[in-house]
Amino acid sequence: MFGNYLIGLREGLEASLVVCILIAYLVKTGRRDALKPIWIGIGVAVGVALAFGAGLEFGSQELTFEAQEALGGSLSVLAVGLVTWMVFWMRRTARHLKAELHGKLDAALQMGTGALVATAFLAVGREGLETALFVWASVRASSDGSYAPLIGVVLGLLTAVLLGWLFYRGALKINLAKFFTWTGGMLVVVAAGVLAYGVHDLQEARFLGGLADKAFDISATIPPDSWYGTLLKGVFNFQPDPTVLQVTVWALYLIPTLALFLAPIGSGPSVRVKKQKATDEKAEAEASAETTA
C-alpha cells in the first residue's frame, strides 16, 4: 500500500504544482477571464486519464490468460520506462518548470481560448496518462485481492491535492528539490519491483523463458499471506520465489538507475572533461602570456 501511496503522492503532486503555477500566473497578471479555459483543459485531461485507466483495467479482462499476462507485462515495462524518464526529467528541469509554463501560457493567451484549453490539457494530460499507466501496472503487481493498493493510490492523490492547495495559498513551503529527489529515489525502487513483476508476466505468457528457473524460494520463511510478506509486497513488490531472470533484470535496472539518479547534477564524465579542458586552456594562455612578456 505504501508503494502505491508514494506513486499517487509523487505523480499527483507534480500535476498539482503544474495547476498551481498556471492558476497563480493568471491571477497575478489579472487574467482571471482565462481561468475557465484552463479549468476546462484540466478537467478534460483528468477525464482522459481516468478513461485510459478504466480501459486498461476492463479491456484486459476480456482477454485470455496468456494475452492478459503478455499485455500486463508489456505495459509494466513501458510504465517503468516512462516513470524512469519522468523522474530524471523532473530532477533536471524542476527549477525551470515555472518559467517554461509561464512562457507557454503567454503564447496561449495571445492565440485565444482554444490554445489555453490545449495548453492546460497537454501540461496536465501527460502527467495524468503516465500516472494512470504506472498506477495500473503497480496495482496489478502488488494486488492481493484486496482494495489496499487502490486505497493507497487514492490517499496519495488526495494528499497531493491538499499539498498543492497549501502551496497555492502560501501556507506550506518545503524544499521541492529534496522532496522530488527522495521520492524519486523511492519511486525507482518501486519501479524495479514493477519491472520484475512485468518480466514474470511475460514469462507466464511464454514470451520469455525461464519460468521454472527459480533464483531462490523463501516462501516458508516469508509466507506471501503473512503480514510482513504482504508489507514487503505492498512496498517493494517483493516476491519470495522469483525467477533467475526476474532477479537479474531487477538488479540490472535498480543499481545503475539509482546510482545515476542520486549522483550530483553536473558530475558526469563529460562535464568533468570540459572543466579539465577549460582549466588546461587557461593555464596554456597564462603561460603564453608570460613567455611573450
Side-chain angles (χ1 to χ4, degrees):
M1 182 173 176
F2 175 76
N4 294 289
Y5 174 82
L6 176 64
I7 295 169
L9 175 62
R10 166 71 191 234
E11 301 291 307
L13 187 57
E14 286 187 22
S16 295
L17 288 176
V18 169
V19 172
C20 288
I21 291 171
L22 294 175
I23 299 301
Y25 184 66
L26 291 176
V27 172
K28 290 181 179 179
T29 55
R31 291 301 307 270
R32 290 180 177 271
D33 57 300
L35 288 176
K36 184 176 180 180
I38 292 295
W39 282 116
I40 291 175
I42 293 170
V44 173
V46 172
V48 169
L50 291 174
F52 178 61
L56 289 174
E57 176 61 23
F58 296 110
S60 63
Q61 294 179 2
E62 303 299 322
L63 303 175
T64 63
F65 172 76
E66 289 189 356
Q68 285 184 12
E69 298 303 295
L71 176 64
S74 301
L75 291 181
S76 293
V77 174
L78 175 61
V80 170
L82 286 175
V83 80
T84 303
W85 172 84
M86 179 272 298
V87 295
F88 276 95
W89 177 84
M90 178 57 73
R91 176 176 181 266
R92 185 177 64 254
T93 62
R95 66 185 65 184
H96 309 298
L97 181 61
K98 187 175 182 179
E100 181 181 339
L101 288 173
H102 285 177
K104 291 181 179 179
L105 201 51
D106 284 334
L109 285 169
Q110 296 177 1
M111 297 175 65
T113 302
L116 287 170
V117 173
T119 298
F121 172 77
L122 293 174
V124 178
R126 179 180 61 83
E127 301 287 347
L129 291 175
E130 287 179 359
T131 302
L133 178 58
F134 193 60
V135 163
W136 179 81
S138 180
V139 168
R140 190 172 185 274
S142 60
S143 179
D144 55 359
S146 69
Y147 291 101
L150 282 176
I151 292 174
V153 172
V154 172
L155 289 176
L157 290 173
L158 291 176
T159 303
V161 172
L162 175 61
L163 290 176
W165 181 78
L166 291 175
F167 283 136
Y168 178 76
R169 302 298 299 179
L172 180 64
K173 291 183 180 180
I174 63 174
N175 189 322
L176 290 177
K178 289 185 177 180
F179 174 84
F180 282 122
T181 297
W182 282 103
T183 57
M186 289 187 286
L187 206 56
V188 168
V189 175
V190 174
V194 173
L195 180 60
Y197 189 87
V199 169
H200 185 265
D201 279 351
L202 292 176
Q203 289 179 306
E204 288 195 324
R206 299 180 182 178
F207 185 80
L208 295 175
L211 183 60
D213 300 328
K214 300 296 183 180
F216 53 82
D217 188 348
I218 54 175
S219 301
T221 306
I222 306 179
D225 56 352
S226 64
W227 69 267
Y228 44 92
T230 303
L231 179 64
L232 288 172
K233 184 175 179 61
V235 177
F236 302 109
N237 289 311
F238 173 78
Q239 184 178 336
D241 57 343
T243 64
V244 173
L245 184 58
Q246 279 184 274
V247 174
T248 302
V249 170
W250 179 86
L252 289 177
Y253 168 81
L254 179 63
I255 296 173
T257 303
L258 200 57
L260 286 173
F261 181 76
L262 296 178
I265 297 178
S267 64
S270 60
V271 176
R272 291 196 296 270
V273 169
K274 290 179 181 179
K275 288 182 178 180
Q276 185 61 46
K277 184 178 179 180
T279 302
D280 294 342
E281 290 176 351
K282 183 178 179 181
E284 289 177 3
E286 291 176 349
S288 177
E290 290 176 358
T291 301
T292 303

